[in-house]
Amino acid sequence: MILLVSGATATIRNHADDPNMGHLLTPGNGNTDSVWSTGLPVAGDNECFNKLNKPAFVAMLKAMRGRGVLWVACPDVVGDARATLLRFRLWAPVLEYYGLPIALVAQDGQENLPVPWERIRCLFIGGSTEWKLGYHTARLIIEAKRRGKWVHVGRVNTQGRERLFDALGADSTDGSAYSMFSDTYIPGALARRELRQTGMEHLLCGD
């Protein structure tokens, strides 16, 4: 399960040989040359949790074109699946124009609405905390994996959430703690992933 981190390029570079490390580009990122130079996996977020900056987002799409990125999050509406799908109809053609693999950001209520599976490479789990940790989201993740889609989960800042989404088969996660306190949190997160992958989960503890 890859840890995708926005910013913190110096710390990330120190872990560039770790297969569970990757970059999360956003429209607000500055020096992106250092990102591409690490050779690590790269995905793109849209920063709609704050407010979509359309010119900056399109500039990011142009910079990612032809780079072989994991996915790019199509603009969404936080906490509202129906409004997100309406926004998806507007923006998905733009991402397709740039040849970028699309992530649909699933929000509260997505379980009652169709998922455009044929147009997306990734199901990005967003939404409120209650919805994210609930039964309906787990079923969406299982269905995405059954269809061979990448699953990314946002705002995974605790070990408890790591364990949950790892068990459900998520492919990647992100969390603000890893950007804000990169030297403190990134090494531990990578170590936990390695222990799980080597079958030594019994050595893990904490929340």
Side-chain angles (χ1 to χ4, degrees):
M1 189 167 68
I2 298 174
L3 175 63
L4 298 175
V5 178
S6 176
T9 51
T11 304
I12 292 172
R13 188 174 293 279
N14 291 333
H15 299 280
D17 59 345
D18 194 306
N20 297 309
M21 186 80 259
H23 296 279
L24 185 64
L25 278 183
T26 70
N29 285 141
N31 182 16
T32 58
D33 289 342
S34 60
V35 169
W36 303 117
S37 67
T38 65
L40 290 168
V42 178
D45 202 355
N46 55 43
E47 292 187 324
C48 283
F49 190 79
N50 296 312
K51 182 180 180 181
L52 179 64
N53 182 329
K54 294 180 183 178
F57 182 65
V58 172
M60 185 187 79
L61 300 183
K62 292 178 180 178
M64 299 181 92
R65 189 176 195 175
R67 292 281 192 171
V69 299
L70 295 173
W71 46 264
V72 178
C74 197
D76 57 294
V77 179
V78 178
D80 190 332
R82 191 173 299 278
T84 291
L85 287 173
L86 290 174
R87 212 171 199 186
F88 182 90
R89 293 178 190 174
L90 294 174
W91 279 98
V94 179
L95 273 68
E96 289 166 344
Y97 172 79
Y98 287 109
L100 296 168
I102 300 173
L104 170 71
V105 184
Q107 301 285 353
D108 300 46
Q110 183 61 62
E111 67 275 13
N112 299 317
L113 298 166
V115 176
W117 296 113
E118 71 286 353
R119 298 185 74 177
I120 66 172
R121 179 179 292 179
C122 169
L123 184 71
F124 183 133
I125 302 300
S128 65
T129 298
E130 181 180 6
W131 184 81
K132 184 193 299 284
L133 301 178
Y135 169 75
H136 295 301
T137 301
R139 291 199 62 182
L140 279 170
I141 292 172
I142 292 168
E143 178 62 15
K145 297 307 300 176
R146 187 186 73 81
R147 291 173 176 265
K149 303 299 181 180
W150 188 281
V151 172
H152 176 80
V153 187
R155 293 188 297 114
V156 177
N157 290 297
T158 68
Q159 293 186 44
R161 293 189 191 185
E162 276 183 18
R163 289 193 295 269
L164 170 63
F165 293 113
D166 187 54
L168 286 171
D171 299 284
S172 59
T173 63
D174 71 73
S176 59
Y178 303 104
S179 298
M180 297 172 64
F181 311 104
S182 56
D183 290 332
T184 300
Y185 289 105
I186 287 177
L190 296 177
R192 290 191 296 274
R193 283 158 168 77
E194 183 177 3
L195 285 173
R196 290 191 185 96
Q197 292 165 356
T198 55
M200 300 181 70
E201 296 92 339
H202 60 284
L203 298 178
L204 294 170
C205 61
D207 296 324

